[in-house]
């Protein structure tokens, strides 16, 4: 069965819509929603991920498609047919582009298209029972194949993002430390110059003072 549905903009990971009633029958649903947001974050980094992929997580599988800089994702039971999951996402994509296509790039707040939930719920009901004549026909549709869609583990996918975060943090730390070292080097150079030229400046100052006093007395 379809458990969760979320739609986000790929360029920045901004969530655009989701099924409001989704996840109520899923234990630890918030945990899986956080994983989805982490996946969106990974995609927003511009990683060269496939436009269609399945990601296994516990007893479930995330299926997603990316089209027009938008990611359409659903979480289903592992036993749920992969072909139906992706056809469900195709239906969402077609309607979302038709209704909201011109506003996607300008959306500035999370869940700007939350009203799309109505279509999500209506479409999800059509796909819940895999034994209906409609869904059996879709499963037998030889023109729609999903065999070549890659399946990966969620830890493998998110691990790439974690490594990138670590590299980014290390880079920031090295940049910060280099600035500290540069500041210290400047301070040391300044102190060296003071030690080198201070005695000369003092002698010149004394000479100038004596000369000034002498001219005043005369």
């Amino acid at each position: 069965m379809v458990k969760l549905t979320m739609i986000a903009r790929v360029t920045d990971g901004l969530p655009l819509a989701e099924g409001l009633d989704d996840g109520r029958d899923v234990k630890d649903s918030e945990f899986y929603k956080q994983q989805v947001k982490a996946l969106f974050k990974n995609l927003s980094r511009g990683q060269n991920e496939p436009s269609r992929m399945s990601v296994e997580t516990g007893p479930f599988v995330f299926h997603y498609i990316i089209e027009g800089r938008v990611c359409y994702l659903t979480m289903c039971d592992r036993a749920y047919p992969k072909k139906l999951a992706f056809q469900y996402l195709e239906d969402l994509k077609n309607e979302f582009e038709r209704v909201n296509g011109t506003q996607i790039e300008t959306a500035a707040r999370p869940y700007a298209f939350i009203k799309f939930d109505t279509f999500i719920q209506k479409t999800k009901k059509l796909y819940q029972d895999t034994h209906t004549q409609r869904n059996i026909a879709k499963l037998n549709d030889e023109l729609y194949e999903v065999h070549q869609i890659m399946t990966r583990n969620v830890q493998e996918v998110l691990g790439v993002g974690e490594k990138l975060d670590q590299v980014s943090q290390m880079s920031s730390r090295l940049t910060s430390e280099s600035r500290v070292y540069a500041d210290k080097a400047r301070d040391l150079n300044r102190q060296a110059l003071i030690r080198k030229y201070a005695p000369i400046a003092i002698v010149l100052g004394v000479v100038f003072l004596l000369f000034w006093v002498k001219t005043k007395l005369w």
Side-chain angles (χ1 to χ4, degrees):
M1 293 180 65
V2 175
K3 299 295 185 180
L4 296 174
T5 304
M6 298 182 74
I7 302 172
R9 191 166 58 198
V10 174
T11 50
D12 55 5
L14 182 74
L16 301 174
E18 71 172 71
L20 295 180
D21 292 333
D22 289 358
R24 291 186 177 182
D25 60 337
V26 178
K27 184 180 179 182
D28 299 325
S29 63
E30 283 304 314
F31 169 75
Y32 293 109
K33 286 184 178 181
Q34 289 303 314
Q35 283 192 333
V36 173
K37 291 176 181 177
L39 286 172
F40 288 154
K41 183 180 177 182
N42 274 10
L43 293 172
S44 71
R45 294 192 182 101
Q47 293 185 49
N48 190 25
E49 295 289 0
S51 61
R52 282 161 172 72
M53 189 160 72
S54 298
V55 182
E56 296 175 339
T57 175
F60 306 108
V61 182
F62 296 132
H63 303 285
Y64 75 73
I65 62 176
I66 299 173
E67 193 80 32
R69 297 186 179 182
V70 177
C71 181
Y72 305 84
L73 182 147
T74 186
M75 185 179 81
C76 307
D77 294 313
R78 287 200 180 215
Y80 190 80
K82 190 174 185 178
K83 181 179 278 191
L84 284 184
F86 279 96
Q87 288 180 312
Y88 166 66
L89 292 175
E90 291 283 355
D91 287 353
L92 296 186
K93 173 187 74 69
N94 293 336
E95 181 67 9
F96 193 79
E97 286 181 346
R98 186 186 71 81
V99 176
N100 305 308
T102 59
Q103 306 171 59
I104 292 171
E105 290 298 324
T106 56
R109 58 185 175 82
Y111 304 105
F113 309 108
I114 198 64
K115 291 182 180 179
F116 192 70
D117 166 68
T118 302
F119 184 81
I120 292 176
Q121 299 303 330
K122 181 176 69 174
T123 307
K124 186 171 72 172
K125 287 179 182 178
L126 296 175
Y127 281 88
Q128 292 294 57
D129 186 355
T130 61
H131 299 294
T132 63
Q133 185 174 354
R134 172 186 178 278
N135 288 336
I136 290 174
K138 285 183 173 293
L139 286 170
N140 293 328
D141 183 3
E142 296 181 358
L143 296 178
Y144 194 89
E145 288 298 334
V146 295
H147 298 303
Q148 295 182 347
I149 295 177
M150 183 186 300
T151 299
R152 297 173 65 186
N153 182 272
V154 70
Q155 296 303 326
E156 179 186 357
V157 175
L158 295 183
V160 173
E162 289 171 0
K163 289 175 183 176
L164 287 177
D165 280 342
Q166 291 172 3
V167 171
S168 177
Q169 291 171 7
M170 184 179 296
S171 176
S172 298
R173 187 167 61 251
L174 289 173
T175 301
S176 177
E177 289 175 353
S178 67
R179 288 174 183 163
V180 172
Y181 292 144
D183 290 341
K184 288 183 177 179
R186 280 195 294 270
D187 288 339
L188 290 172
N189 286 336
R190 192 179 303 113
Q191 292 173 17
L193 288 173
I194 291 173
R195 285 195 297 268
K196 181 177 180 180
Y197 293 106
I200 299 174
I202 292 172
V203 171
L204 290 175
V206 171
V207 171
F208 176 77
L209 181 61
L210 291 174
F211 178 77
W212 180 80
V213 170
K214 184 177 180 181
T215 56
K216 288 293 183 180
L217 292 175
W218 286 94

